[in-house]
């Protein structure tokens, strides 16, 4: 907001500065041609009418200044007036084209964000005996809607969840995320275990993806005292134990991302991690751990895991998200999704 105000006033500050320099320089030096900077800067943030008005102000400053210097009817001053009029006309055209481009980008982004909201339905705050918290931070890039995805369903087999990240951005990534989520929501109720769900997703994506496109993901199924995980090339979750310990749930063998299963004929492997009363587990996408600060340092998620010990899981996750944004000092370069599960003691 502050930068926008600076841009709005910049043309007038520049033109007043040019007039001041011209007065100080006297008749020896003429700075009036620099008044063309006014409408040029106005086209950066203003509309067509505002740019035209700034051009008119530039001409209104030029004529009395030229008269003061005794140059009103000279060829040099006529050329300056023509320059101001020409730059103003070009700046008005540039402003119009910029506004059209901004409207087009806003429309594309709105469509993509709407599609993504339809796909990423609100997760339940409770699933079985678990308390669930969610944080989703979208990258601030023009029409670059990410492909982060997540879902939690309560099935006859227990609570099952999916978190993943589609390669690429934009509408193509949203479309792929739709395929993955649709296949998961169907398979989660039918298949016997997470590994079987993974095979179902792999078969579905094999019909949809082309070339070397892929989706990193984690499938999980919650049991009474533990959790079954299947990792498809995704950052492993952090397990915050009730006794204060912190464990990274690394798989014994990292699997290939979904969509690349044809490169490895071995069976999809699952592993189990403890998940008892008082424990919490944080699933996240790579936009969290790859977020950098001004010095180029990655976000130290393991060091900040102490923020997850707040009694309220959603408040804990909100605090972690605020710390992540503070670390980067600005908008994230990639979408960041975090899913926190808490089993009360």
């Amino acid at each position: 907001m502050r930068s926008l105000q600076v841009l709005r006033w910049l043309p007038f500050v520049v033109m007043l500065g040019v007039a001041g320099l011209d007065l100080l320089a006297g008749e020896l030096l003429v700075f009036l041609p620099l008044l063309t900077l006014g409408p040029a800067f106005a086209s950066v943030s203003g509309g067509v009418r505002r740019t035209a008005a700034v051009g008119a102000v530039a001409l209104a400053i030029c004529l009395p200044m030229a008269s003061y210097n005794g140059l009103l009817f000279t060829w040099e001053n006529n050329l300056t007036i023509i320059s101001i009029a020409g730059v103003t006309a070009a700046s008005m055209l540039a402003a119009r084209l910029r506004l059209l481009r901004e409207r087009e980008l806003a429309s594309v982004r709105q469509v993509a964000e709407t599609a993504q909201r339809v796909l990423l339905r609100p997760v339940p705050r409770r699933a079985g005996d678990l308390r669930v918290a969610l944080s989703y931070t979208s990258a601030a890039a023009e029409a670059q809607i990410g492909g982060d995805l997540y879902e939690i369903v309560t099935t006859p087999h227990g609570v099952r969840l999916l978190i993943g990240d589609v390669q690429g951005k934009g509408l193509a990534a949203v479309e792929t995320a739709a395929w993955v989520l649709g296949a998961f929501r169907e398979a989660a109720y039918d298949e016997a275990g997470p590994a079987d769900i993974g095979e179902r997703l792999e078969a579905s994506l094999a019909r949809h993806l082309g070339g070397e496109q892929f989706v990193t993901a984690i499938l999980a199924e919650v049991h009474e005292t533990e959790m079954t995980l299947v990792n498809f090339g995704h950052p492993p979750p952090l397990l915050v134990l009730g006794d204060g310990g912190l464990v990274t749930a690394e798989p014994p063998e990292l699997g290939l991302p979904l969509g690349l299963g044809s490169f490895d004929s071995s069976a999809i492997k699952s592993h189990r991690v403890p998940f008892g009363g008082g424990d919490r587990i944080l699933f996240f996408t790579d936009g969290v751990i790859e977020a950098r600060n001004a010095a180029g340092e990655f976000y130290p998620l393991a060091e900040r895991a102490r923020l997850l010990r707040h009694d309220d899981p959603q408040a804990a996750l909100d605090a972690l998200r605020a710390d992540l944004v503070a670390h980067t000092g600005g908008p994230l370069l990639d979408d960041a999704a975090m899913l926190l599960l808490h089993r009360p003691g």
Side-chain angles (χ1 to χ4, degrees):
M1 183 63 69
R2 185 176 180 180
S3 60
L4 183 60
Q5 291 296 328
V6 171
L7 287 175
R8 290 181 64 85
W9 286 103
L10 183 59
F12 302 101
V13 173
V14 169
M15 290 188 295
L16 289 176
V18 170
L21 284 175
D22 193 77
L23 286 174
L24 292 175
E27 298 180 3
L28 296 178
L29 294 174
V30 179
F31 290 92
L32 295 182
L34 294 179
L35 289 172
T36 56
L37 293 174
F41 283 131
S43 66
V44 174
S45 61
V48 177
R49 292 182 179 178
R50 179 179 174 81
T51 304
V54 172
V57 172
L59 287 174
I61 294 175
C62 177
L63 293 176
M65 292 297 298
S67 178
Y68 175 81
N69 292 330
L71 303 173
L72 182 58
F73 300 106
T74 63
W75 168 252
E76 290 82 359
N77 188 62
N78 292 336
L79 188 60
T80 298
I81 293 174
I82 293 173
S83 299
I84 293 174
V87 172
T88 299
S91 299
M92 291 169 63
L93 177 61
R96 177 171 175 79
L97 294 176
R98 176 182 58 80
L99 291 173
L100 290 175
R101 171 70 171 166
E102 288 177 354
R103 292 192 190 100
E104 180 181 353
L105 288 176
S107 178
V108 171
R109 181 158 190 165
Q110 184 178 11
V111 170
E113 288 180 340
T114 301
Q116 197 170 40
R117 284 195 297 269
V118 171
L119 292 173
L120 300 179
R121 301 177 302 194
V123 299
R125 293 308 175 188
R126 287 190 176 273
D129 63 339
L130 305 176
R131 298 176 66 188
V132 182
L134 170 69
S135 171
Y136 185 86
T137 306
S138 180
E142 292 181 345
Q144 293 297 299
I145 309 303
D148 287 7
L149 54 97
Y150 49 82
E151 183 63 290
I152 295 181
V153 293
T154 303
T155 73
H157 308 281
V159 175
R160 290 175 169 177
L161 69 89
L162 164 72
I163 188 167
D165 188 0
V166 180
Q167 175 201 25
K169 295 182 181 295
L171 292 176
V174 174
E175 181 183 4
T176 301
W179 278 78
V180 176
L181 288 170
F184 170 76
R185 288 164 181 161
E186 182 179 353
Y189 290 91
D190 299 335
E191 302 297 338
D196 301 304
I197 298 175
E199 292 180 358
R200 183 97 161 254
L201 296 184
E202 185 66 57
S204 176
L205 285 177
R207 298 189 298 267
H208 172 66
L209 297 181
E212 296 184 359
Q213 291 179 298
F214 58 86
V215 180
T216 66
I218 292 180
L219 291 168
E221 181 179 280
V222 182
H223 310 291
E224 289 186 2
T225 59
E226 59 185 6
M227 180 180 291
T228 301
L229 303 176
V230 180
N231 193 315
F232 296 93
H234 197 79
L238 279 180
L239 182 62
V240 183
L241 301 176
D243 59 8
L246 181 67
V247 179
T248 301
E250 294 275 2
E253 183 179 345
L254 192 63
L256 289 175
L258 293 168
L260 300 181
S262 59
F263 293 96
D264 186 359
S265 59
S266 60
I268 296 174
K269 297 179 176 62
S270 62
H271 67 286
R272 297 198 172 198
V273 296
F275 190 58
D279 293 345
R280 296 185 176 188
I281 187 167
L282 176 69
F283 296 89
F284 54 90
T285 58
D286 57 8
V288 176
I289 55 175
E290 292 181 0
R292 298 172 183 257
N293 60 13
E297 300 170 334
F298 291 110
Y299 182 66
L301 179 59
E303 297 177 12
R304 302 294 202 272
R306 65 182 184 278
L307 297 173
L308 297 175
R309 303 188 187 281
H310 193 282
D311 292 339
D312 181 9
Q314 188 60 56
L317 203 54
D318 290 342
L320 186 64
R321 177 191 178 278
D323 187 69
L324 172 65
V325 174
H327 174 81
T328 60
L332 301 183
L333 298 180
D334 192 9
D335 288 6
M338 294 184 287
L339 198 60
L340 180 65
L341 271 63
H342 172 61
R343 170 168 277 163

